Amino acid sequence: MTPTERSGLAYAATGFALLSCGDAVVKSMADAWPPYAVAALRFSIGALVLSALLWRSEGPKAFVPQSLPLQLARATCLALASVCFFSAIYIMPLAEAMAIAFLSPILTQLFAGLLLGETVKPKVYAISVVALIGVVIILRPNLALLGWGALLPLVSAVLFALLMVSNRASAGQGSALSMQVFVAGFAVPILIAVSLGAKLSGEPALDFGWPSWDVAARCAFVALTASTAHWLAYIGTSRAGAAQVAPAIYVQMVVAVALGWLFFGDVPDLLTLLGAGLIIAAGLYLWRDGLKPISISSPQTPPIRT
């Protein structure tokens, strides 16, 4: 590996680590503000900052999407995936929710075959079964304790996989920055509508008021770290290439375990680590076999994660 590739890998690994830091901050707001409101404020801040950068660098023409329905589809997947994932880490250990979320790269391959007509090798289906076994192992105690809420990270993984497929479909329709602005900007009204619907539903458990200053500050921090993480992954991929950078995404899991242990007292048991290991091993096998299971930030189509 050349020095340039090593620096690219370091950039990407730092970016992925920052994503887990942001997730930990989201989890810290579990008793302060509902997840849908956190998602709405976080993406509102991010969309404003990204839009300002896009206006400065590319001008007003960059804000006109080539395919409005496709951008709306991307935004809907992102908005709902974010709400599900934020809700999951509110009620589950961070590492467990993160491990299940890693199912999305594998699901991306299956959906790409179904929705985009891409060729899916038979071994992808076998590897998917292995990864699903890992999910079942992780979920084994949570279904009894949390009920259907334990499936939230799985729903988030499905939605994020659909987002990755729609990202592929929108490749070449704009710059990396404009693609981030479209998906975040269109997600904001969806999240605001979800939040208002929850507040006006009449259910006391869904009601909420204005955020305190520290909640607003934490949402801004999450928006900042997420945007910085995407930029670092973009730089890393530009320097080292997607194939070199892809395994670095699993740095998120290491950081999630460490932060969950240090700040929330969540110590994963051996079976949880086994389940996470199966999911990660499945993803790494597909990457090593050249099946491109992970959608890494690239000069053409950067991913947006919660």
Side-chain angles (χ1 to χ4, degrees):
M1 184 179 292
T2 66
T4 300
E5 289 174 335
R6 283 195 294 270
S7 67
L9 186 59
Y11 273 109
T14 302
F16 294 131
L18 275 178
L19 286 175
S20 286
C21 292
D23 291 337
V25 173
V26 170
K27 186 174 178 63
S28 73
M29 293 184 274
D31 296 325
W33 225 34
Y36 35 84
V38 169
L41 181 55
R42 171 256 182 272
F43 280 105
S44 295
I45 296 171
L48 286 173
V49 174
L50 291 171
S51 295
L53 293 174
L54 182 63
W55 184 280
R56 180 180 178 182
S57 62
E58 301 182 34
K61 291 183 179 180
F63 289 86
V64 181
Q66 293 185 25
S67 174
L68 181 59
L70 183 56
Q71 301 308 326
L72 288 174
R74 294 175 68 225
T76 301
C77 290
L78 174 63
L80 298 181
S82 300
V83 171
C84 288
F85 187 75
F86 285 5
S87 300
I89 60 178
Y90 269 27
I91 63 176
M92 293 175 63
L94 183 59
E96 293 184 11
M98 179 69 69
I100 296 172
F102 279 136
L103 183 65
S104 62
I106 300 168
L107 292 175
T108 299
Q109 298 308 300
L110 299 178
F111 292 157
L114 291 172
L115 301 177
L116 300 181
E118 295 184 5
T119 301
V120 180
K121 294 183 179 180
K123 64 178 66 178
V124 172
Y125 298 101
I127 293 300
S128 299
V129 172
V130 173
L132 286 172
I133 291 173
V135 171
V136 171
I137 292 174
I138 295 173
L139 287 178
R140 80 206 182 281
N142 291 307
L143 280 173
L145 294 173
L146 303 174
W148 292 109
L151 297 178
L152 283 168
L154 181 58
V155 176
S156 178
V158 171
L159 289 167
F160 189 67
L162 291 172
L163 170 62
M164 291 298 98
V165 171
S166 60
N167 281 352
R168 292 187 185 184
S170 62
Q173 294 192 11
S175 66
L177 182 56
S178 68
M179 288 297 102
Q180 292 199 33
V181 169
F182 290 148
V183 72
F186 285 125
V188 169
I190 297 172
L191 289 166
I192 291 175
V194 170
S195 300
L196 288 177
K199 181 173 179 59
L200 299 176
S201 67
E203 291 292 332
L206 300 178
D207 194 18
F208 62 95
W210 290 103
S212 60
W213 71 267
D214 62 305
V215 167
R218 279 180 278 182
C219 287
F221 176 82
V222 174
L224 175 63
T225 54
S227 296
T228 303
H230 298 148
W231 176 75
L232 289 172
Y234 174 86
I235 296 297
T237 306
S238 298
R239 292 191 174 200
Q244 295 281 9
V245 165
I249 195 172
Y250 294 110
V251 168
Q252 289 180 249
M253 186 65 196
V254 177
V255 176
V257 170
L259 293 177
W261 197 332
L262 287 173
F263 295 104
F264 306 107
D266 296 330
V267 183
D269 57 25
L270 290 178
L271 283 177
T272 296
L273 293 176
L274 173 62
L278 286 175
I279 297 171
I280 292 173
L284 287 174
Y285 178 82
L286 291 182
W287 162 77
R288 183 178 178 275
D289 200 53
L291 296 176
K292 302 177 183 178
I294 302 170
S295 295
I296 298 295
S297 182
S298 70
Q300 289 77 33
T301 55
I304 306 290
R305 204 185 70 77
T306 52

